Amino acid sequence: MSVYRKYADHILLNLLKEDDQLAYTEIFERYSRLLVNHAYKMIGNQDESNDVVQEVFLFIWNKRHELEITGSLSSYLYKATKNKILNHIAHEKVVSRYADSISNFIESDYVFADSKLREKELEAIIESEIALLPEKMREVFLLRKVEELSYDEIALQLNITDKTAKQQVYNSLKILRGKLKSALNVFIW
């Protein structure tokens, strides 16, 4: 049995300040399990609880010469552990928010890029299907849908009746809908 087990906390602290590693070991053995249990109640994760307590004890060893503990050592250790846990939780929230932000950016950027790509592909399909329409039908369709001319204007320009212009647009839309229906199904999925 180590003689250090008999020492009071304030004696162990004085020895610790004099670089006594056995005093440090005794403080660790005396309080580490209690602090890990305390941390576990707050965090709910054994590994993270162990890490937090290890950080507290590492801090104590690294700052042993500057430590000024006015109350009891146990109170100091519990407060230090609680503060480390709160810092840990705050850090986890920041990391989580950052990860969510990056994830949302990547997803929205991907969706935007994906939708732009699909839009271009769909435009190319529509253009190729329009190009396959019979020549007069294609001409009437483009004047109506691209140039946005009225049926009367189309009739005057092409020397046809407005009724013929309407019929040509109707027929071209019917053909295009049939051909594009299967292409649109692919784009939806």
Side-chain angles (χ1 to χ4, degrees):
M1 183 166 144
S2 168
V3 69
Y4 286 85
R5 286 190 185 166
K6 296 178 183 175
Y7 293 154
D9 288 349
H10 69 279
I11 295 172
L12 290 171
L13 278 173
N14 288 334
L15 292 170
L16 176 68
K17 287 181 180 186
E18 296 170 7
D19 298 331
D20 189 326
Q21 291 182 359
L22 293 174
Y24 174 79
T25 302
E26 178 57 32
I27 293 170
F28 181 84
E29 288 178 2
R30 197 174 282 185
Y31 291 104
S32 64
R33 281 194 196 134
L34 295 169
L35 294 173
V36 168
N37 289 337
H38 176 65
Y40 183 77
K41 287 176 186 171
M42 292 180 74
I43 298 175
N45 180 300
Q46 192 66 43
D47 290 336
E48 289 179 14
S49 299
N50 287 329
D51 290 346
V52 165
V53 172
Q54 289 293 334
E55 287 177 33
V56 168
F57 278 101
L58 182 63
F59 176 82
I60 288 172
W61 178 255
N62 289 336
K63 300 292 183 180
R64 66 189 174 277
H65 300 292
E66 298 109 43
L67 274 181
E68 292 297 326
I69 299 175
T70 53
S72 70
L73 176 59
S74 62
S75 287
Y76 175 84
L77 291 171
Y78 275 99
K79 285 179 187 172
T81 302
K82 179 183 162 194
N83 289 336
K84 279 285 182 197
I85 290 167
L86 294 175
N87 288 342
H88 174 76
I89 290 170
H91 177 72
E92 289 296 314
K93 285 182 180 176
V94 167
V95 168
S96 178
R97 275 197 304 258
Y98 180 71
D100 288 346
S101 171
I102 296 245
S103 177
N104 289 339
F105 174 77
I106 289 170
E107 284 177 21
S108 64
D109 197 40
Y110 171 76
V111 168
F112 177 74
D114 187 50
S115 68
K116 285 291 183 192
L117 180 64
R118 286 178 185 230
E119 187 179 314
K120 286 184 188 247
E121 289 175 353
L122 190 56
E123 282 177 16
I125 291 169
I126 291 170
E127 286 177 17
S128 69
E129 291 300 330
I130 291 171
L132 295 174
L133 291 172
E135 186 179 339
K136 271 289 186 197
M137 191 183 290
R138 180 177 61 245
E139 189 177 6
V140 172
F141 178 82
L142 290 173
L143 289 172
R144 177 70 181 152
K145 297 298 182 182
V146 177
E147 309 251 341
E148 298 179 353
L149 298 180
S150 69
Y151 290 115
D152 290 334
E153 292 170 321
I154 295 170
L156 281 173
Q157 188 171 333
L158 297 179
N159 201 21
I160 58 174
T161 66
D162 65 330
K163 199 171 192 172
T164 303
K166 285 180 188 175
Q167 190 61 47
Q168 291 284 31
V169 171
Y170 173 79
N171 291 343
S172 59
L173 285 173
K174 189 175 176 183
I175 291 168
L176 290 172
R177 277 190 196 109
K179 290 185 175 184
L180 294 176
K181 195 173 191 178
S182 60
L184 288 175
N185 286 336
V186 170
F187 276 90
I188 292 170
W189 300 108

